[in-house]
Amino acid sequence: MSTHSSTESTENTAPTSTPVTTAQAAQDLASRGENRSQRPSSDAFREFIASGWDETVPDASPRPATAVTPARRDALVRRLPGTRIVLPAGPLKVRSNDTDFPYRPDTSFVYYSGLGTDEEPDSVLVVEPDPQRDGGSKAVWFFRPRAGFDTPEFYADSRYGEMWVGRRLTLTEAEQALGIECRHIDELRDALAKNLGDQLTLSVMPGVDAAVEEMVQQVRTENHVQADDSALAEAASEQRLVKDEYEISQMREAVDATIRGFEDVVRRLPEAIGHRRGERVIEGVFARTARADGNGVGYGTIAAAGDHACTLHWVRNDGAVREGDLVLIDAGVEVDSLYTADVTRTLPVGGRFSPAQRRVYEAVLEAADAAFAVARPGVLFRDIHATAMQVIARHLEEWGLLPGTAEESLAPEGQHHRRWMVHGTSHHLGLDVHDCAQARREMYLDAELRPGMVFTIEPGLYFKENDLLVPEELRGIGVRIEDDVLVTADGVENLSAALPRRVEEIEAWMAALRGPSTPTTLAP
């Protein structure tokens, strides 16, 4: 049941045919959702529910990220001098009627505040230059703090009430946890307008909270100031291109949890084989681990068996999982700090690769290994993809699938090999699965690798079952191998290296996890 639903009262009775009064007919649509339940409202109830509670408020421990968030905010105000920066957490998003999707705050809000999980929708972090520190910042978090037991909000507000959604922080607890000033959200508008003028403008992260954006625009108009909000989105993305030590530690946790999720999937793969929607069994097994060990999945899990593996973003996951097929699993655990892994393995359902499957798999693995071999500080990000494509094109030429040579295909005017791998080889990874998406091209694709960058290496080959240009034995085979990579001072580290990649290692790993009683059928 959604936390925004009202509990049905035991006093409700079956509907009867009664005349509709004028007052009933005039009830507005917005309030009719409350018709399904009854909430107590007597003076006796209000007095009784406000009494008998332990009102002790414990001290709050600083959040781990508070060791690094001040430096992040300082860097942001130096990038956008003279700007009061508004970073909304974002509102709840309606799934259907009065139920919402699980809440996840905006990435930039998380990065600069140090909050995570599903904390405080509708709150706003404001960051601006600190006049007392040259190049420094000051921040204030505006949110709705915990209401008293004697308020109707405590028991009657399904959006914020403690009885409905759990206990929220007090202002004092929030300041202890984040190390910054915290104020009631009702004070936000006045705070945004204070001291605006020639020396201070106002910018808001676009596309996060329409109500906050409207408020910011009203304040700008009233104070005759303007700002380029796209510059804020760009700055926040580019600042995350190089991860700090805290971020790297969170990425390691996310990858480790993801590996445990893959292990759980292999252990329970026989259940998927016996189910008409075996792909969803795989998805569910991974989701259980992600939710138990972290905040959940970092993106929609791809559990694609057989020809479904040739649909790049197959998230419907409603197909059968059959002996003899491959299953491509692209999944990542998002930890409580909201950093996510992004790992793909293509596994033989029966535990052994067929000769045709192995041929495709090893070609993709060779492309991945080649990309790893060139990745190091100073190399252009785009060169990782170019290196993988050289291997892919060469194999496709050897198999007679290209209309000309690999060299001709690799030329900008060719690109025939991309028919079987239309996606890129790498993307940045962090708080978003496709992290730093608003960064400029020269800072991303055309940039040199730098220590602290985290990205994926994920070449693939996809031969759809209706592709008449490939031999019949290859049709319906889709393979992707994806690892998460940290750039070090002199090379790269494969953060997901503990998850087997080579054919013999995968077959032995699957056999060990599934036990001796599980058959390992060789696919035809």
Side-chain angles (χ1 to χ4, degrees), residues 307 419 463-469 475-476:
D307 185 61
R419 173 188 176 108
F463 300 118
K464 296 182 72 66
E465 62 184 7
N466 62 344
D467 190 342
L468 301 182
L469 297 189
R475 295 176 194 168

Side-chain angles (χ1 to χ4, degrees), residues 446-473:
D446 295 333
E448 293 183 355
L449 299 185
R450 296 164 58 192
M453 287 182 169
V454 178
F455 56 86
T456 64
I457 290 179
E458 50 175 312
L461 278 171
Y462 311 92
F463 300 118
K464 296 182 72 66
E465 62 184 7
N466 62 344
D467 190 342
L468 301 182
L469 297 189
V470 301
E472 187 173 352
E473 66 175 0

Side-chain angles (χ1 to χ4, degrees), residues 120-131:
E120 292 305 334
D122 306 315
S123 66
V124 178
L125 180 71
V126 177
V127 182
E128 62 185 74
D130 184 350

Side-chain angles (χ1 to χ4, degrees), residues 14 24 103 107 112-113 127 131 154 156 169 193 207 243 251 264 284 296 348 408 419 442 445 499 502 518:
Q24 288 172 326
Y103 182 69
T107 289
Y112 294 107
S113 71
V127 182
F154 170 65
L169 295 172
K243 270 54 180 178
M251 292 302 303
D264 288 342
E408 292 169 339
R419 173 188 176 108
E442 60 266 30
L445 187 62
L499 201 59
R502 308 198 178 283
T518 304

Side-chain angles (χ1 to χ4, degrees), residues 332-415:
V333 172
E334 177 186 81
V335 292
D336 288 345
S337 61
L338 302 185
Y339 287 85
T340 185
D342 179 10
V343 177
T344 305
R345 288 294 183 268
T346 306
L347 308 175
V349 174
R352 299 284 298 278
F353 289 87
S354 73
Q357 292 167 350
R358 180 169 185 153
R359 179 154 57 111
V360 177
Y361 186 94
E362 290 188 333
V364 174
L365 180 63
E366 184 181 338
D369 287 346
F372 268 100
V374 300
R376 60 184 180 276
V379 170
L380 295 182
F381 190 84
R382 61 166 53 253
D383 288 346
I384 301 170
H385 175 74
T387 299
M389 289 304 92
Q390 290 173 2
V391 176
I392 293 294
R394 174 168 52 79
H395 280 285
L396 291 172
E397 178 188 14
E398 292 170 354
W399 299 344
L401 300 184
L402 297 179
T405 66
E407 183 178 0
E408 292 169 339
S409 186
L410 288 165
E413 63 273 16
Q415 301 296 299

Side-chain angles (χ1 to χ4, degrees), residues 251-316:
M251 292 302 303
R252 292 187 188 278
E253 287 188 18
V255 171
D256 290 347
T258 298
I259 292 172
R260 292 193 294 274
F262 272 87
E263 291 170 346
D264 288 342
V265 165
V266 172
R267 290 187 186 98
R268 297 181 62 180
L269 198 53
E271 298 175 31
I273 298 171
H275 197 285
R276 68 184 181 89
R277 288 185 170 180
E279 291 174 343
R280 289 195 180 170
V281 173
I282 292 172
E283 177 188 354
V285 170
F286 188 87
R288 178 184 180 276
T289 304
R291 193 64 172 150
D293 289 6
N295 189 53
V297 294
Y299 54 94
T301 296
I302 298 170
D307 185 61
H308 288 166
C310 299
T311 300
L312 300 181
H313 285 173
W314 177 259
V315 293
R316 188 175 301 155

